[in-house]
Amino acid sequence: MVSRRMLMQWGGLVGAGFLIGPSKASGANFGSEKAGGVYFTAENPGRWRNKVEGHLPEVSVTMIGGEKRVIITTNHKMFGFKHYIVKHVLLDAHYGFIDEKLFDPNADEPVSEHKLPSGYSGPIYALSMCNLHDVWLASAQA
């Protein structure tokens, strides 16, 4: 039997494939033609223009113990399985997977910490997935 959580994870993987696959295949900028439709940004919030503040991830890069770390925070309350941030995903400059964190909506706050690969510098992309308001993308320089 497939659990609801497993279905959501599969949905996230399929959604990420739509986000990453077409952009990489066409060579298009990840933050361009799909923004506001397939995923959402501060500049292109699409149908969720009133939801930017609580859904757009905040991305910061810091040194912790001699390692470059990325902190992703989504300013979103967790309302159990009714309305919550499902996960954060961290991508590199080529939209390659670096790391992810799944959240327990009954116990976690939507804050995650990710270790960058040794020597990595350049753009990083953070995805924040809400169970009701889709996937949001923000970027920073590492």
Side-chain angles (χ1 to χ4, degrees):
M1 175 170 252
V2 177
S3 69
R4 178 177 177 201
R5 186 168 191 87
M6 185 62 75
L7 283 174
M8 291 187 74
Q9 288 174 351
W10 288 344
L13 290 172
V14 169
F18 280 113
L19 289 174
I20 297 165
S23 294
K24 286 183 81 172
S26 68
N29 182 340
F30 189 75
S32 63
E33 81 282 352
K34 302 291 185 220
V38 175
Y39 62 92
F40 303 94
T41 64
E43 298 79 19
N44 293 297
R47 65 189 177 132
W48 303 122
R49 67 182 169 277
N50 296 326
K51 302 292 183 185
V52 175
E53 186 176 317
H55 291 82
L56 186 71
E58 298 171 16
V59 187
S60 62
V61 180
T62 188
M63 293 295 284
I64 298 176
E67 295 178 328
K68 213 181 271 189
R69 300 281 181 136
V70 176
I71 309 295
I72 303 171
T73 304
T74 305
N75 186 24
H76 189 288
K77 291 184 180 182
M78 302 289 254
F79 297 100
F81 284 96
K82 287 179 70 176
H83 187 191
Y84 67 104
I85 298 300
V86 177
K87 68 178 175 175
H88 286 157
V89 179
L90 182 64
L91 306 173
D92 66 16
H94 304 287
Y95 316 110
F97 178 84
I98 295 175
D99 195 22
E100 73 180 342
K101 174 163 185 193
L102 293 167
F103 298 108
D104 175 345
N106 292 314
D108 294 335
E109 293 295 319
V111 177
S112 59
E113 182 179 317
H114 310 269
K115 179 180 167 186
L116 283 174
S118 180
Y120 183 86
S121 65
I124 51 172
Y125 299 94
L127 298 172
S128 179
M129 179 188 295
C130 175
N131 72 315
L132 297 180
H133 301 110
D134 304 315
V135 177
W136 292 77
L137 174 120
S139 64
Q141 286 291 319

